[in-house]
mmCIF file with all atom_site columns, all heavy atoms in Angstrom:
data_model
loop_
_atom_site.group_PDB
_atom_site.id
_atom_site.type_symbol
_atom_site.label_atom_id
_atom_site.label_alt_id
_atom_site.label_comp_id
_atom_site.label_asym_id
_atom_site.label_entity_id
_atom_site.label_seq_id
_atom_site.pdbx_PDB_ins_code
_atom_site.Cartn_x
_atom_site.Cartn_y
_atom_site.Cartn_z
_atom_site.occupancy
_atom_site.B_iso_or_equiv
_atom_site.pdbx_formal_charge
_atom_site.auth_seq_id
_atom_site.auth_comp_id
_atom_site.auth_asym_id
_atom_site.auth_atom_id
_atom_site.pdbx_PDB_model_num
ATOM 1  N N   . THR V 1 125 ? 48.308 11.464 5.088  1.00 0.00 ? 125 THR V N   1
ATOM 2  C CA  . THR V 1 125 ? 48.626 12.414 4.012  1.00 0.00 ? 125 THR V CA  1
ATOM 3  C C   . THR V 1 125 ? 49.929 13.163 4.284  1.00 0.00 ? 125 THR V C   1
ATOM 4  O O   . THR V 1 125 ? 50.431 13.840 3.401  1.00 0.00 ? 125 THR V O   1
ATOM 5  C CB  . THR V 1 125 ? 47.485 13.432 3.832  1.00 0.00 ? 125 THR V CB  1
ATOM 6  O OG1 . THR V 1 125 ? 47.260 14.118 5.085  1.00 0.00 ? 125 THR V OG1 1
ATOM 7  C CG2 . THR V 1 125 ? 46.212 12.767 3.375  1.00 0.00 ? 125 THR V CG2 1
ATOM 8  N N   . GLY V 1 126 ? 50.439 13.086 5.525  1.00 0.00 ? 126 GLY V N   1
ATOM 9  C CA  . GLY V 1 126 ? 51.658 13.782 5.870  1.00 0.00 ? 126 GLY V CA  1
ATOM 10 C C   . GLY V 1 126 ? 51.455 15.282 6.057  1.00 0.00 ? 126 GLY V C   1
ATOM 11 O O   . GLY V 1 126 ? 52.390 16.065 5.890  1.00 0.00 ? 126 GLY V O   1
ATOM 12 N N   . MET V 1 127 ? 50.255 15.683 6.435  1.00 0.00 ? 127 MET V N   1
ATOM 13 C CA  . MET V 1 127 ? 49.940 17.102 6.591  1.00 0.00 ? 127 MET V CA  1
ATOM 14 C C   . MET V 1 127 ? 49.739 17.450 8.076  1.00 0.00 ? 127 MET V C   1
ATOM 15 O O   . MET V 1 127 ? 49.639 16.567 8.925  1.00 0.00 ? 127 MET V O   1
ATOM 16 C CB  . MET V 1 127 ? 48.686 17.467 5.799  1.00 0.00 ? 127 MET V CB  1
ATOM 17 C CG  . MET V 1 127 ? 48.781 17.141 4.318  1.00 0.00 ? 127 MET V CG  1
ATOM 18 S SD  . MET V 1 127 ? 50.167 17.957 3.476  1.00 0.00 ? 127 MET V SD  1
ATOM 19 C CE  . MET V 1 127 ? 49.565 19.644 3.383  1.00 0.00 ? 127 MET V CE  1
ATOM 20 N N   . ASP V 1 128 ? 49.665 18.755 8.372  1.00 0.00 ? 128 ASP V N   1
ATOM 21 C CA  . ASP V 1 128 ? 49.547 19.216 9.755  1.00 0.00 ? 128 ASP V CA  1
ATOM 22 C C   . ASP V 1 128 ? 48.127 19.025 10.298 1.00 0.00 ? 128 ASP V C   1
ATOM 23 O O   . ASP V 1 128 ? 47.932 18.675 11.471 1.00 0.00 ? 128 ASP V O   1
ATOM 24 C CB  . ASP V 1 128 ? 49.894 20.707 9.851  1.00 0.00 ? 128 ASP V CB  1
ATOM 25 C CG  . ASP V 1 128 ? 51.323 20.988 9.439  1.00 0.00 ? 128 ASP V CG  1
ATOM 26 O OD1 . ASP V 1 128 ? 52.169 20.098 9.658  1.00 0.00 ? 128 ASP V OD1 1
ATOM 27 O OD2 . ASP V 1 128 ? 51.572 22.078 8.902  1.00 0.00 ? 128 ASP V OD2 1
ATOM 28 N N   . VAL V 1 129 ? 47.123 19.300 9.482  1.00 0.00 ? 129 VAL V N   1
ATOM 29 C CA  . VAL V 1 129 ? 45.754 19.360 9.972  1.00 0.00 ? 129 VAL V CA  1
ATOM 30 C C   . VAL V 1 129 ? 44.777 18.888 8.894  1.00 0.00 ? 129 VAL V C   1
ATOM 31 O O   . VAL V 1 129 ? 45.021 19.109 7.695  1.00 0.00 ? 129 VAL V O   1
ATOM 32 C CB  . VAL V 1 129 ? 45.435 20.794 10.448 1.00 0.00 ? 129 VAL V CB  1
ATOM 33 C CG1 . VAL V 1 129 ? 45.582 21.773 9.297  1.00 0.00 ? 129 VAL V CG1 1
ATOM 34 C CG2 . VAL V 1 129 ? 44.052 20.905 11.039 1.00 0.00 ? 129 VAL V CG2 1
ATOM 35 N N   . ALA V 1 130 ? 43.711 18.232 9.308  1.00 0.00 ? 130 ALA V N   1
ATOM 36 C CA  . ALA V 1 130 ? 42.667 17.770 8.385  1.00 0.00 ? 130 ALA V CA  1
ATOM 37 C C   . ALA V 1 130 ? 41.315 18.196 8.935  1.00 0.00 ? 130 ALA V C   1
ATOM 38 O O   . ALA V 1 130 ? 41.145 18.309 10.157 1.00 0.00 ? 130 ALA V O   1
ATOM 39 C CB  . ALA V 1 130 ? 42.731 16.257 8.207  1.00 0.00 ? 130 ALA V CB  1
ATOM 40 N N   . ASN V 1 131 ? 40.350 18.401 8.042  1.00 0.00 ? 131 ASN V N   1
ATOM 41 C CA  . ASN V 1 131 ? 39.016 18.748 8.526  1.00 0.00 ? 131 ASN V CA  1
ATOM 42 C C   . ASN V 1 131 ? 38.180 17.494 8.763  1.00 0.00 ? 131 ASN V C   1
ATOM 43 O O   . ASN V 1 131 ? 38.639 16.373 8.615  1.00 0.00 ? 131 ASN V O   1
ATOM 44 C CB  . ASN V 1 131 ? 38.336 19.785 7.601  1.00 0.00 ? 131 ASN V CB  1
ATOM 45 C CG  . ASN V 1 131 ? 37.913 19.166 6.270  1.00 0.00 ? 131 ASN V CG  1
ATOM 46 O OD1 . ASN V 1 131 ? 37.887 17.964 6.127  1.00 0.00 ? 131 ASN V OD1 1
ATOM 47 N ND2 . ASN V 1 131 ? 37.579 20.010 5.310  1.00 0.00 ? 131 ASN V ND2 1
ATOM 48 N N   . ALA V 1 132 ? 36.916 17.704 9.129  1.00 0.00 ? 132 ALA V N   1
ATOM 49 C CA  . ALA V 1 132 ? 36.070 16.588 9.550  1.00 0.00 ? 132 ALA V CA  1
ATOM 50 C C   . ALA V 1 132 ? 35.291 15.971 8.390  1.00 0.00 ? 132 ALA V C   1
ATOM 51 O O   . ALA V 1 132 ? 34.157 15.563 8.535  1.00 0.00 ? 132 ALA V O   1
ATOM 52 C CB  . ALA V 1 132 ? 35.100 17.042 10.640 1.00 0.00 ? 132 ALA V CB  1
ATOM 53 N N   . SER V 1 133 ? 35.925 15.925 7.217  1.00 0.00 ? 133 SER V N   1
ATOM 54 C CA  . SER V 1 133 ? 35.427 15.283 6.000  1.00 0.00 ? 133 SER V CA  1
ATOM 55 C C   . SER V 1 133 ? 34.566 16.215 5.166  1.00 0.00 ? 133 SER V C   1
ATOM 56 O O   . SER V 1 133 ? 33.987 17.185 5.650  1.00 0.00 ? 133 SER V O   1
ATOM 57 C CB  . SER V 1 133 ? 34.645 13.994 6.286  1.00 0.00 ? 133 SER V CB  1
ATOM 58 O OG  . SER V 1 133 ? 33.264 14.206 6.384  1.00 0.00 ? 133 SER V OG  1
ATOM 59 N N   . MET V 1 134 ? 34.510 15.847 3.882  1.00 0.00 ? 134 MET V N   1
ATOM 60 C CA  . MET V 1 134 ? 33.685 16.577 2.917  1.00 0.00 ? 134 MET V CA  1
ATOM 61 C C   . MET V 1 134 ? 32.885 15.560 2.127  1.00 0.00 ? 134 MET V C   1
ATOM 62 O O   . MET V 1 134 ? 32.936 14.379 2.399  1.00 0.00 ? 134 MET V O   1
ATOM 63 C CB  . MET V 1 134 ? 34.576 17.449 2.029  1.00 0.00 ? 134 MET V CB  1
ATOM 64 C CG  . MET V 1 134 ? 35.478 18.359 2.870  1.00 0.00 ? 134 MET V CG  1
ATOM 65 S SD  . MET V 1 134 ? 36.360 19.601 1.955  1.00 0.00 ? 134 MET V SD  1
ATOM 66 C CE  . MET V 1 134 ? 35.061 20.815 1.797  1.00 0.00 ? 134 MET V CE  1
ATOM 67 N N   . TYR V 1 135 ? 32.144 16.059 1.112  1.00 0.00 ? 135 TYR V N   1
ATOM 68 C CA  . TYR V 1 135 ? 31.237 15.141 0.408  1.00 0.00 ? 135 TYR V CA  1
ATOM 69 C C   . TYR V 1 135 ? 31.972 13.998 -0.273 1.00 0.00 ? 135 TYR V C   1
ATOM 70 O O   . TYR V 1 135 ? 31.638 12.832 -0.118 1.00 0.00 ? 135 TYR V O   1
ATOM 71 C CB  . TYR V 1 135 ? 30.441 15.915 -0.638 1.00 0.00 ? 135 TYR V CB  1
ATOM 72 C CG  . TYR V 1 135 ? 29.387 16.819 -0.057 1.00 0.00 ? 135 TYR V CG  1
ATOM 73 C CD1 . TYR V 1 135 ? 29.251 18.107 -0.512 1.00 0.00 ? 135 TYR V CD1 1
ATOM 74 C CD2 . TYR V 1 135 ? 28.531 16.374 0.923  1.00 0.00 ? 135 TYR V CD2 1
ATOM 75 C CE1 . TYR V 1 135 ? 28.290 18.954 0.005  1.00 0.00 ? 135 TYR V CE1 1
ATOM 76 C CE2 . TYR V 1 135 ? 27.573 17.197 1.456  1.00 0.00 ? 135 TYR V CE2 1
ATOM 77 C CZ  . TYR V 1 135 ? 27.448 18.490 0.997  1.00 0.00 ? 135 TYR V CZ  1
ATOM 78 O OH  . TYR V 1 135 ? 26.515 19.315 1.519  1.00 0.00 ? 135 TYR V OH  1
ATOM 79 N N   . ASP V 1 136 ? 32.947 14.346 -1.105 1.00 0.00 ? 136 ASP V N   1
ATOM 80 C CA  . ASP V 1 136 ? 33.706 13.324 -1.833 1.00 0.00 ? 136 ASP V CA  1
ATOM 81 C C   . ASP V 1 136 ? 35.007 13.947 -2.336 1.00 0.00 ? 136 ASP V C   1
ATOM 82 O O   . ASP V 1 136 ? 35.267 15.142 -2.117 1.00 0.00 ? 136 ASP V O   1
ATOM 83 C CB  . ASP V 1 136 ? 32.887 12.731 -3.004 1.00 0.00 ? 136 ASP V CB  1
ATOM 84 C CG  . ASP V 1 136 ? 32.434 13.794 -3.993 1.00 0.00 ? 136 ASP V CG  1
ATOM 85 O OD1 . ASP V 1 136 ? 33.091 14.850 -4.075 1.00 0.00 ? 136 ASP V OD1 1
ATOM 86 O OD2 . ASP V 1 136 ? 31.444 13.549 -4.697 1.00 0.00 ? 136 ASP V OD2 1
ATOM 87 N N   . GLY V 1 137 ? 35.807 13.154 -3.038 1.00 0.00 ? 137 GLY V N   1
ATOM 88 C CA  . GLY V 1 137 ? 37.101 13.640 -3.475 1.00 0.00 ? 137 GLY V CA  1
ATOM 89 C C   . GLY V 1 137 ? 37.018 14.763 -4.486 1.00 0.00 ? 137 GLY V C   1
ATOM 90 O O   . GLY V 1 137 ? 37.806 15.718 -4.439 1.00 0.00 ? 137 GLY V O   1
#
Side-chain angles (χ1 to χ4, degrees):
T125 57
M127 302 303 286
D128 298 329
V129 59
N131 72 14
S133 94
M134 306 190 81
Y135 288 134
D136 58 24

